[in-house]
Amino acid sequence: MKTEVKHFIAGGVLMFLSTLFIPQGISDFAGAAARGAAVPPGSGVLLAIGAVLILAAIALFARGQVLRHRARVRGSGQRED
């Protein structure tokens, strides 16, 4: 399997994993705002974990795209700038 494909798959997995954390954190904040109560502890941590996973997924997608572009440029016989 090509390296860029592995980056895309890993990015997709991380994007999926982020959906396990972000909705729960948003739900906790929204529920607290609707009830006028304090935000449950750990809600910020859930959002932070989800944000880190999304940033890592974006980085993996970008790296896969760069590797894919380099492979195409080398394969066509053109020089890289």
Side-chain angles (χ1 to χ4, degrees):
M1 185 180 299
K2 293 183 177 182
T3 305
E4 63 265 16
V5 174
K6 290 179 184 178
H7 280 80
F8 289 134
I9 291 172
V13 168
L14 287 179
M15 193 66 76
F16 173 75
L17 288 176
S18 72
T19 64
L20 300 174
F21 294 99
I22 291 180
Q24 182 62 41
I26 291 173
S27 175
D28 288 346
F29 275 98
R35 290 186 303 269
V39 177
S43 298
V45 174
L46 290 173
L47 288 175
I49 291 171
V52 167
L53 288 173
I54 287 177
L55 290 175
I58 290 170
L60 283 170
F61 286 143
R63 180 67 179 154
Q65 190 65 27
V66 166
L67 291 173
R68 183 184 203 188
H69 175 72
R70 285 184 184 169
R72 284 186 179 176
V73 168
R74 286 187 191 133
S76 65
Q78 297 174 358
R79 277 191 348 185
E80 270 189 72
D81 291 331

